[in-house]
Amino acid sequence: MSTDTATAVDFWFDPSCPWAWMTSRWVDEVATSRNLDVTWHVMSLAVLNEDKDVSDDYKAFFPRALRYTRLVAAAKEEYGQAIVKPLYDALGMQIHPGESKDPDIVIPQALAEVGLPPEFAEHSLGDAYDPQMRASHFDGIERVGQDVGTPVIAVNGTAFFGPVLSPAPKGDDAVRLWDGIVAAASFPGFFELKRSRTVGPIFD
C-alpha cells in the first residue's frame, strides 16, 4: 500500500488578481510532481479593501472584480466544490493572458466553457451568495491577518500570503521553490520575506 499521503493545500484567490493567477499556475505545476490535494476557495479584494482608504482608480476596479467573486461563490453553492477550479481557470485565462476587461464578455464565455447555463451569469450581479463569499474570504484572511492580499495558501494548516511570482516557475524550479516556501512558512517564528517587484505580471 502506498505511503505517499497527499499534502492538504487550501488556496484562496480573487479571479481578478494577476498575482494570484500566476501563483495558481505554479501550484498546478507543483501538483504534476508532488501529491497535492488542493481545495480552491474564493476571496475578494473588494471585501478586503471595503473599509480602507485606497485610490479612486483601485476602487473603480472593485465592481468588476466583485462580479467574478460572486459568480464563483454562487457556482460553488449550487454545483459544489468541483466546479470552483474549472470556473477559475476559465475566467482567469480570459482575464489575464487574454487581457479581457469586460465581464459581460468574460462571464458568458467562461460559463460556456465549464458547461453552466448562460442565465447563471445573473448571479454575478446579485448578492444572494454574498454571505458565503464573505465567509470564504474571511476564512482565508483570518489565517494570515488583514495586512495582506491574494493569494492565501494553507499547507497542512500552515497559512501564508503569496508567494508573489512573475513568471510562474516550471519543472524542478517550481518544486524547489515549493519546498523552500513550505519549509519557511512552517517555522512558527517566520513572518515575512519581501523585496520590491521589478517586473509586472508575465503570463507565459
Side-chain angles (χ1 to χ4, degrees):
M1 185 170 61
S2 174
T3 59
D4 185 16
T5 303
T7 299
V9 179
D10 290 274
F11 191 111
W12 283 264
F13 64 91
D14 184 312
S16 294
C17 178
W19 304 103
W21 175 254
M22 281 186 294
T23 305
S24 73
R25 302 309 94 181
W26 166 63
V27 171
D28 282 349
E29 180 73 9
V30 174
T32 65
S33 300
R34 293 292 172 86
N35 187 6
L36 305 184
D37 181 13
V38 186
T39 304
W40 301 85
H41 311 268
V42 72
M43 64 181 293
S44 170
L45 290 171
V47 172
L48 182 67
N49 290 280
E50 61 188 357
D51 296 322
K52 296 180 181 178
D53 184 16
V54 298
S55 70
D56 289 341
D57 286 345
Y58 196 29
K59 286 180 182 177
F61 152 81
F62 293 150
R64 181 173 79 245
L66 192 58
R67 289 189 63 182
Y68 299 134
T69 57
R70 284 173 163 169
L71 186 76
V72 174
K76 193 262 185 181
E77 293 303 313
E78 295 203 7
Y79 291 92
Q81 179 64 47
I83 196 65
V84 174
K85 180 58 159 52
L87 183 55
Y88 177 33
D89 289 345
L91 291 167
M93 283 299 295
Q94 294 183 72
I95 296 167
H96 303 301
E99 299 183 345
S100 180
K101 300 186 182 303
D102 186 348
D104 290 325
I105 295 175
V106 170
I107 289 173
Q109 291 182 359
L111 292 177
E113 183 174 330
V114 300
L116 296 185
E119 58 269 22
F120 201 80
E122 296 173 4
H123 287 295
S124 73
L125 298 168
D127 60 3
Y129 292 108
D130 275 17
Q132 293 91 332
M133 182 268 287
R134 294 175 71 91
S136 178
H137 169 87
F138 286 112
D139 181 30
I141 208 69
E142 287 172 0
R143 299 175 189 231
V144 290
Q146 293 290 330
D147 56 343
V148 299
T150 176
V152 170
I153 300 178
V155 181
N156 287 331
T158 298
F160 50 91
F161 161 65
V164 175
L165 307 166
S166 185
K170 301 285 196 302
D172 291 342
D173 288 341
V175 175
R176 186 165 60 250
L177 179 63
W178 174 264
D179 290 344
I181 287 177
V182 170
S186 67
F187 179 69
F190 181 84
F191 296 106
E192 187 171 351
L193 178 68
K194 187 173 183 178
R195 62 181 176 183
S196 297
R197 301 174 193 166
T198 58
V199 298
I202 299 173
F203 307 119
D204 57 354

